[in-house]
Amino acid sequence: MSRWDEWKAQVPANDFAARTVTAALRERGSKRRLDARRWAGLAAAAAGAVMVAGVAWGSWAQLRGMSTQAAPPAPTTTAAPRSAQLDPRLLTGQEAAKEAALAAVAAEQRRVQDIRTRLQPARRVAPAARPDAGYNPISPHCDCMPGDPLCSCLGAPGPGP
Amino acid sequence: MIQVAAYPAREPAPETAEIDADTLAACRAGDPEAMTAFVRRYERSVFAFLSRALGHGPHVEDLAQEVFLRALRALARFDAAGSARASTWLLTIASRLVIDERRKRRVPTEPLDEGLAAQTTTTPETEQRRGEVGRALSRAAGELPDDQRDVFLLTEFHGLDASDIASMLSIPKATVKTRLFRAREHLRVLLKGILEET
């Protein structure tokens, strides 16, 4: 026995263990109820998240399909609009609008091409410019009288009147 | 260890024996009998540490109950097959609670409560002498700084070594040794007369 053992410790009451276990079991029960409530909340939140994700995915897929269809075809094509090749009864409203837009673009491209074609021959027939193009020569004015001995503009002086 | 006359209702289990793995597993499963056995096995040790660290009083029982509630809550994480013993684990929880309690409020350390003091006055001369020694020891330990007192209690009364205490209190082993050395020196000075007489 150590001399320190004279220092008495406080001893537990007889029912301490029973009270402690009761408290622990009560705590476990309330925790279990809380856990069940928490799991129910989590399940509801998960179901909601799945629904929202489904709606978002559906919307995204629809928008993606629209953007793929609306991508412009090769810009240099001058072929007839597809609306002329497809049965109009098979086209939906969106496809019809798209075909109309494509037809308008093709018509504009044809009009521009026509104008270019008309302008090109005129440029080809234009005469080549001469070296003195735009030069205006000045002819000397002659006031000499026939037979004027001092005149130099009419050639050699004549014998005079 | 201390033989406490005020607690004769049942035969205490040997202090050195740890609780068996089956009882621990039943505790995890929520078996009330196993939980009661677990609490009964370690309640004296927890009460001893708490009452010596914080002084006697009703707060000891409150804190002891909190120790066991925390332990039963965290029992699923306790590895019975590991190196840690259940008694050391419980004392770790208790020592952390003691530190928290001291931070929250300054707990006055009572050398001995009036009941124990009264018991000693009616005993024969030897018992009276032992009671005086106990009170002197309690008073002297109460003058120790908190950190030194915890290390001293865990070493002297609970048989833990420096490594265990270092991991319990999250301090280096050398610090444990230093605190223990200083606590013993301090007590030796304070109890010089008492120890010479005994």
Side-chain angles (χ1 to χ4, degrees):
Chain A
M1 189 171 178
S2 164
R3 57 178 177 249
W4 296 112
D5 292 339
E6 298 301 333
W7 184 9
K8 302 293 182 193
Q10 188 170 332
V11 292
N14 283 333
D15 61 343
F16 172 77
R19 279 188 282 118
T20 304
V21 171
T22 304
L25 290 173
R26 196 185 308 128
E27 188 184 82
R28 280 191 182 202
S30 62
K31 186 175 179 294
R32 203 170 293 137
R33 280 194 296 276
L34 192 68
D35 283 349
R37 220 173 294 153
R38 191 178 299 157
W39 277 114
L42 278 174
V50 167
M51 285 178 66
V52 168
V55 169
W57 179 80
S59 304
W60 174 78
Q62 194 176 2
L63 287 172
R64 187 167 173 269
M66 282 174 62
S67 64
T68 306
Q69 288 173 359
T76 53
T77 182
T78 54
R82 285 175 60 196
S83 56
Q85 301 167 358
L86 293 174
D87 185 354
R89 288 172 298 181
L90 298 176
L91 298 177
T92 63
Q94 290 172 348
E95 286 173 336
K98 190 189 76 179
E99 292 298 331
L102 286 174
V105 170
E108 180 64 18
Q109 283 177 346
R110 277 199 303 277
R111 192 178 68 81
V112 171
Q113 190 64 34
D114 288 347
I115 292 169
R116 283 180 182 162
T117 309
R118 262 185 268 125
L119 288 175
Q120 273 179 351
R123 284 179 191 160
R124 282 198 202 105
V125 297
R130 292 177 300 178
D132 58 349
Y135 177 71
N136 192 17
I138 300 170
S139 299
H141 181 70
C142 183
D143 293 329
C144 299
M145 295 301 287
D148 192 344
L150 297 176
C151 180
S152 60
C153 57
L154 293 178
Chain B
M1 289 302 295
I2 303 165
Q3 298 300 312
V4 182
Y7 194 59
R10 56 183 175 272
E11 191 67 27
E15 292 290 321
T16 52
E18 294 291 331
I19 202 158
D20 58 292
D22 292 341
T23 309
L24 280 179
C27 284
R28 286 192 196 101
D31 178 18
E33 285 184 17
M35 290 162 80
T36 306
F38 175 76
V39 175
R40 282 192 176 154
R41 167 63 190 81
Y42 296 109
E43 63 183 359
R44 294 163 63 82
S45 172
V46 170
F47 264 74
F49 175 70
L50 291 174
S51 61
R52 285 176 178 138
L54 298 172
H56 293 233
H59 59 276
V60 172
E61 186 165 313
D62 294 341
L63 288 173
Q65 192 168 64
E66 181 61 26
V67 169
F68 284 107
L69 287 177
R70 287 190 186 189
L72 291 169
R73 222 178 282 149
L75 205 55
R77 294 194 297 273
F78 176 69
D79 181 16
S83 59
R85 292 177 298 164
S87 57
T88 311
W89 180 57
L90 278 168
L91 285 174
T92 304
I93 298 172
S95 62
R96 287 176 186 167
L97 266 178
V98 164
I99 292 169
D100 289 346
E101 191 68 14
R102 283 180 186 142
R103 279 182 191 151
K104 275 194 283 186
R105 59 188 173 88
R106 293 301 302 171
V107 179
T109 305
E110 302 167 19
L112 278 176
D113 62 12
E114 292 301 316
L116 284 173
Q119 284 174 17
T120 56
T121 56
T122 57
T123 55
E125 189 180 347
T126 52
E127 288 300 311
Q128 188 174 357
R129 176 68 191 147
R130 289 176 65 184
E132 286 171 6
V133 172
R135 280 196 295 277
L137 290 171
S138 171
R139 202 175 301 116
E143 291 185 22
L144 290 175
D146 292 337
D147 52 354
Q148 291 181 20
R149 193 192 318 160
D150 289 347
V151 171
F152 176 75
L153 289 176
L154 292 169
T155 305
E156 196 70 33
F157 291 94
H158 299 276
L160 300 180
D161 60 17
S163 304
D164 287 337
I165 298 171
S167 63
M168 282 172 69
L169 302 176
S170 304
I171 53 175
K173 195 174 165 184
T175 307
V176 174
K177 289 181 176 174
T178 306
R179 287 181 186 178
L180 185 60
F181 175 77
R182 286 181 182 161
R184 282 178 171 154
E185 285 295 307
H186 200 158
L187 288 170
R188 194 170 293 131
V189 172
L190 290 170
L191 297 169
K192 193 175 178 184
I194 297 280
L195 296 177
E196 280 171 357
E197 287 175 24
T198 56

